[in-house]
Amino acid sequence: MTPPLSRRGFLQVSAGSMALPLLAEPLLADEPKKSPNDRINLGFIGIGMMGRGHLGSFLGMNDVQVVAICDIHKERREDAMARVAKKYGDAKACVEHTDFRKLLEQKNIDAVVIATPDHWHMIPCLLAARAKKDIYCEKPLTHSIAEGRRIV
């Protein structure tokens, strides 16, 4: 036989049961909807060894979408496009280029990943900055202080 519930016990149980929905609500609530502004649209300039690694990393992020690929080598470009299409399930989700200047003209690109050979970093960085794109570039960024100053 259970002992009778005291007034104090009754109040403790009642207060606890009333607080439970308030505490559990954040855990049970649906995840907030994200707007397109919460997503970063990326363009890739150079899909060599480092570029492929970065592509795989960025494709794994939910708040990033790869929208353009640029490389002069057809095999690299096609491989990257296939990886992007497989991730998003849409072959038209990404545009391919052989000229990085065409990629920089795309209005829907927020940032670029530059993974070209070292001696080709300065020109794409400079033009990306002029096009008001955020830049992630492999090191070394430049080969001289003067090149670095031009980018800044």
Side-chain angles (χ1 to χ4, degrees), residues 97-139:
H97 298 281
T98 56
D99 185 341
F100 72 90
R101 293 170 295 191
K102 296 291 184 190
L103 181 144
L104 294 174
E105 289 174 2
Q106 282 187 236
K107 300 291 184 209
N108 66 330
I109 293 178
D110 301 312
V112 292
V113 175
I114 300 173
T116 58
D118 295 351
H119 63 280
W120 260 101
H121 287 178
M122 197 280 263
I123 295 171
C125 279
L126 183 62
L127 295 177
R130 286 182 183 162
K132 307 247 188 289
K133 310 291 186 197
D134 290 328
I135 303 165
Y136 175 93
C137 186
E138 278 296 308
K139 64 181 183 181

Side-chain angles (χ1 to χ4, degrees), residues 39-47 51-70 76-77 79-97 103 106 108-113:
R39 184 183 66 209
I40 299 170
N41 288 333
L42 272 184
F44 275 76
I45 301 173
I47 301 290
R52 281 192 299 270
H54 293 314
L55 179 63
S57 297
F58 282 113
L59 285 175
M61 298 179 186
N62 293 332
D63 54 352
V64 172
Q65 175 139 2
V66 178
V67 296
I69 299 288
C70 178
R76 292 179 184 174
R77 196 174 57 250
D79 176 65
M81 291 294 291
R83 290 174 66 190
V84 172
K86 181 179 178 185
K87 166 66 179 175
Y88 302 131
D90 182 7
K92 296 180 183 178
C94 186
V95 179
E96 63 180 296
H97 298 281
L103 181 144
Q106 282 187 236
N108 66 330
I109 293 178
D110 301 312
V112 292
V113 175

